[in-house]
């Protein structure tokens, strides 16, 4: 198949540190190439890929001081993609609603993976284009009525996450993610204090979250019980997760997937999470972690979580959340969409012939 | 002709106070309807128009506390326009670069009026789509190489601006516009102080400009020599301009048009301006105002400007910058684009026939 992959431009593909969507797009794209597809990746020019790279701009926008209006580059990317639409069998968009007005204007079908949750505003655009084909990254994500052609869970490459049979001593809890109220780092701190455990935290602080970080997080960082390691790269992340006794996922929002849960389990570290969004689909309760109703309960589940088998956590990811599984899912959906399109055209030609 | 007018959604059409683009779109749309065209206006739902209104959202986005992501509504608007593209002979876009990726995907032509100046970022998208048909609102605006099909100056309805034969006593200078460094209110204050004249100022302060206003403007407001009247409505604006002795236009940027210059001249008040952007095309130097090389020179031209004939200023607008003139310009361009399209199709059919 001739496939266009349309990535966000904020981070390179794959990302240097944080960037869940860019990581998924990278793994998907490279595996599709390995399986013999002809793939064009639309992404920032510093991206690294086995596919044919169409560089929209020379580097990831986040790192470029010269760029003032990010929307420009999204428009430029979509221009490039849809001007060349006829050259692809399918266009796979990872850029959300911005691709929607264009998708219905060309004959090449676009598959839209929903990487975010819906907002009060954004659901209006999605609902307007509800007949476009969508992939949800969890069943829980399907908060509005759209033409969902499947759920494809995000996949990671288990080899990228070395398995750690025994957590480090002295043991610690870990929180990894953006420092925004939605991800719940404030609850991770409360859980550490309630249980007396050490907590290591890492992740980026966006400008919009700087006040939250200063007020709710920074005062608790004592470099003894509560540590903040800043933004870390992939190798550091895999090590931090693998050496942890337990990963906390104390979210306060309807997480559409939650990549860090599978990254943690891949290294062998079980996850204690709040029952919101995708959590029930990602964690096998009582086997690879625990799903709790509130933050106090999360603290009380630590002893039970320590008894879980780390090898089973790893296998759970290998079986359900590998790149291979993910690419199997997307490949099947691409085929189905393209076949449906051909059947539709044939039916149309047949009807037209009968009328003649 | 069946014409779609695509307006920004930030203000209603026509705007309640500030909103140059929305004012121009309103006048153009209504006059096209009066001339017998079938016009559909895509705009906020509180807009008032003689055309068929397609309301994208119930009210102007600026006034709606519930809206958090404005981009959503722009996407929704363009979705609606281009889904219905086949129903129009021509689509006239006033929303800048966001319409560009869509315009080339449908057979109905889109005419793009350039209401803004180009930025380092935005010029990339325009250059990518350089073959689309563009209207510049001044010749000076043509900073990059595009397929310009004409310059159509913005037009106002002279009846909306009562002519004032004699300025108010005691006399004053006026500054009207956004309080941003680009519009130069800081220079207006300096000119008033240099010349000893009173200055009345009005216009909105955008959030991004609040620091500039606090630091560079507010300290000079003494309600004696320097007055700030806040944001004013149309009637107040016409009165403020008409009663002024002279309007100052001390811009620091390449103004693409500068509606306030023609609004002022329509009331009879001459304009002293800096030689940037469109100014040379809008002011008749020595007749309806003076065009200066620096801000000190502007102050020295006040005595000469007082001697200009106010009736001539009015006539200058009636002859060159009326709604009628503007609609004549656009009507001719619509016809030309549609004819070119038909000729192209006919040539294509002929070539195809010969080949058969």
């Amino acid at each position: 198949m001739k496939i266009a992959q349309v990535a966000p431009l904020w981070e390179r593909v794959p990302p240097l540190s944080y960037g869940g969507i860019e990581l998924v797009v990278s793994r998907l794209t490279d595996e599709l190439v390995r399986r013999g597809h002809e793939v064009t990746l639309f992404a920032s020019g510093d991206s690294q890929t086995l596919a044919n790279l169409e560089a929209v701009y020379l580097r990831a926008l986040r790192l470029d001081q010269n760029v003032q209006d990010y929307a420009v580059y999204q428009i430029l990317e979509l221009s490039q993609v849809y001007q060349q639409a006829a050259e692809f069998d399918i266009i796979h968009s990872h850029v959300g609603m911005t691709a929607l007005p264009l998708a219905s204007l060309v004959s090449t079908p676009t598959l839209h993976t929903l990487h975010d949750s819906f907002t009060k505003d954004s659901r209006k655009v999605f609902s307007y284009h509800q007949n476009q084909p969508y992939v949800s990254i969890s069943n829980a994500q399907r908060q509005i009525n759209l033409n969902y052609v499947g759920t494809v869970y995000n996949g990671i490459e288990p080899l990228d996450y070395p398995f750690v049979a025994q957590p480090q001593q002295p043991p610690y809890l870990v929180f990894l993610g953006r420092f925004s109220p939605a991800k719940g780092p404030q609850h991770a701190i409360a859980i550490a204090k309630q249980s007396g455990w050490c907590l290591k935290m890492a992740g980026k602080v966006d400008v919009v979250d700087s006040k939250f970080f200063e007020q709710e997080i920074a005062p608790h960082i004592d470099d003894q019980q509560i540590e903040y390691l800043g933004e870390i790269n992939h190798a550091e992340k895999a090590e931090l997760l693998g050496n942890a006794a337990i990963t906390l996922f104390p979210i306060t929002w309807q997480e559409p997937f939650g990549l860090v849960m599978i990254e943690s389990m891949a290294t062998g570290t079980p996850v204690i999470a709040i029952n919101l969004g995708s959590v029930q689909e990602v964690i096998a309760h009582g086997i690879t972690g625990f799903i709790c109703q509130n933050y106090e309960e999360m603290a009380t589940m630590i002893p039970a979580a320590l008894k879980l088998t780390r090898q089973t956590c790893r296998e759970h990811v290998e079986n359900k959340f590998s790149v291979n599984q993910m690419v199997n899912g997307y490949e099947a959906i691409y085929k189905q969409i393209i076949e449906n399109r051909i059947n539709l055209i044939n039916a149309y030609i047949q009807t037209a012939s009968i009328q003649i």
Side-chain angles (χ1 to χ4, degrees), chain A:
Chain A
M1 284 181 259
K2 290 184 184 170
I3 305 164
Q5 294 288 340
V6 189
L9 303 170
W10 189 242
E11 305 281 353
R12 54 163 249 193
V13 174
L16 284 167
S17 52
Y18 192 89
I21 303 175
E22 291 84 353
L23 183 62
V24 164
V25 173
S26 170
R27 295 295 175 261
L28 167 62
T29 299
D30 284 355
E31 179 60 18
L32 286 168
V33 174
R34 284 190 208 98
R35 293 186 185 188
H37 298 292
E38 209 173 299
V39 188
T40 302
L41 171 64
F42 293 84
S44 68
D46 51 355
S47 295
Q48 296 181 348
T49 177
L50 301 179
N52 167 31
L53 178 64
E54 283 261 0
V56 178
Y57 185 66
L58 56 117
R59 68 176 72 87
L61 298 183
R62 183 166 79 98
L63 302 173
D64 198 304
Q65 304 290 328
N66 293 317
V67 172
Q68 295 186 309
D69 188 353
Y70 302 111
V72 164
Y73 298 90
Q74 179 75 87
I75 294 172
L76 200 54
E77 177 176 45
L78 291 168
S79 297
Q80 292 182 11
V81 171
Y82 284 92
Q83 286 290 315
Q84 301 173 49
E87 294 173 29
F88 305 112
D89 298 316
I90 191 158
I91 296 166
H92 188 173
S93 164
H94 302 273
V95 296
M97 63 181 166
T98 50
L100 291 171
L102 295 122
S104 55
L105 301 180
V106 298
S107 59
T108 305
T110 300
L111 176 67
H112 308 265
T113 289
L114 298 164
H115 287 283
D116 295 314
S117 54
F118 300 105
T119 67
K120 191 164 48 64
D121 294 318
S122 78
R123 62 179 60 206
K124 291 177 186 164
V125 175
F126 286 106
S127 293
Y128 185 87
H129 293 280
Q130 62 180 335
N131 293 330
Q132 284 286 309
Y134 294 95
V135 157
S136 47
I137 56 173
S138 67
N139 296 324
Q141 189 191 26
R142 300 185 177 193
Q143 300 285 319
I144 61 172
N145 187 28
L146 299 176
N147 173 29
Y148 298 103
V149 293
T151 285
V152 179
Y153 294 123
N154 285 335
I156 55 175
E157 182 49 70
L159 290 174
D160 292 342
Y161 299 84
F163 175 68
V164 180
Q166 283 293 333
Q168 189 180 288
Q169 290 301 327
Y172 63 89
L173 307 173
V174 68
F175 169 90
L176 192 75
R178 255 187 307 120
F179 280 76
S180 78
K183 295 286 188 180
Q186 71 278 31
H187 297 300
I189 291 170
I191 290 163
K193 294 197 169 177
Q194 185 187 332
S195 63
W197 274 66
C198 285
L199 171 68
K200 292 181 195 279
M201 304 191 293
K204 71 172 172 179
V205 183
D206 284 340
V207 175
V208 290
D209 296 320
S210 55
K211 200 173 155 191
F212 165 74
F213 186 86
E214 284 312 314
Q215 292 181 348
E216 308 273 325
I217 306 300
H220 300 287
I221 299 168
D222 59 8
D223 290 334
Q224 303 262 334
Q225 190 186 6
I226 313 290
E227 257 184 281
Y228 173 56
L229 309 169
E231 206 169 327
I232 58 179
N233 67 24
H234 175 79
E236 292 164 334
K237 181 166 76 171
E239 207 182 316
L240 182 69
L241 288 170
N243 288 331
I246 293 159
T247 295
L248 299 177
F249 197 63
I251 50 172
T252 66
W253 76 321
Q254 300 289 344
E255 181 79 45
F257 184 76
L259 210 53
V260 72
M261 292 190 282
I262 62 171
E263 292 179 305
S264 171
M265 293 185 291
T267 68
T269 302
V271 182
I272 301 180
I274 280 288
N275 186 18
L276 277 174
S278 64
V279 164
Q280 285 206 326
E281 297 168 63
V282 178
I283 296 175
H285 182 70
I287 300 169
T288 71
F290 287 97
I291 302 170
C292 303
Q293 301 310 317
N294 56 60
Y295 307 101
E296 292 73 27
E297 191 191 344
M298 286 180 70
T300 67
M301 296 312 290
I302 294 174
L306 292 174
K307 294 186 188 137
L308 297 174
T309 312
R310 293 179 67 93
Q311 185 63 42
T312 308
C313 293
R314 171 89 175 174
E315 286 162 11
H316 182 61
V317 174
E318 287 170 342
N319 294 334
K320 285 194 69 176
F321 304 107
S322 67
V323 169
N324 246 322
Q325 288 298 322
M326 173 174 72
V327 180
N328 289 346
Y330 280 121
E331 225 180 359
I333 289 171
Y334 297 162
K335 276 183 194 151
Q336 182 201 319
I337 290 174
I338 293 167
E339 273 170 25
N340 288 354
R341 179 71 54 136
I342 291 169
N343 291 340
L344 209 70
I345 293 169
N346 285 341
Y348 175 79
I349 291 171
Q350 209 162 15
T351 315
S353 312
I354 291 166
Q355 285 176 343
I356 288 167

